[in-house]
Amino acid sequence: MDLTTIATIIGIMVGIIAIYEFIRRQPWKRKPDQGETLLQIDTKLGRIAEYLDGLPTAEPEIKDPFTEGMAHKEQYKYDDAITSFRQALGEGPTGSQKAALLCLIGNCFYAQAEFKQAE
């Protein structure tokens, strides 16, 4: 047998193995994970999902400290951001705005690996 015949036989065997593995894995039968939430997806991308309900359009007493807190958060100044968000909490936000501010405070603590405080 010459070298060309041996190379052909090896090539056919590699092709058969590749086809076998493709069929065995059956990619066309896989279903996407339906149980993943937005937070899980966002966390996998390296971020934490933010809930801002009503804050960007709130009254100035709430919006100004919120905007300041977001600027601090973008600069990784989490302690300053927490202070600003807490200031906005003292201005009497609505229920959903209060929930959003508490989530932002929790996210800042989470970013600092202060998990008990984040809870």
Side-chain angles (χ1 to χ4, degrees), residues 27-44:
W28 58 88
K29 290 189 177 180
R30 287 192 190 141
K31 294 181 182 175
D33 294 336
Q34 298 169 350
E36 290 186 327
T37 63
L38 179 60
L39 178 59
Q40 291 169 328
I41 293 168
D42 234 358
T43 303
K44 287 178 184 176

Side-chain angles (χ1 to χ4, degrees), residues 49-117:
E50 292 183 344
Y51 172 71
L52 306 176
D53 189 37
L55 292 173
T57 59
E59 305 79 40
E61 307 86 46
I62 298 169
K63 182 180 179 181
D64 292 344
F66 159 72
T67 304
E68 183 180 320
M70 291 301 285
H72 289 306
K73 189 171 170 287
E74 291 295 319
Q75 297 170 0
Y76 305 103
K77 298 178 182 176
Y78 296 113
D79 290 330
D80 294 336
I82 290 167
T83 302
S84 296
F85 295 143
R86 284 184 173 159
Q87 180 185 350
L89 273 174
E91 301 299 327
T94 65
S96 65
Q97 291 172 338
K98 184 176 181 180
L101 287 166
L102 291 172
C103 286
L104 288 168
I105 291 170
N107 288 348
C108 288
F109 281 120
Y110 182 84
Q112 296 177 29
E114 295 182 27
F115 303 116
K116 281 292 184 192
Q117 291 282 48

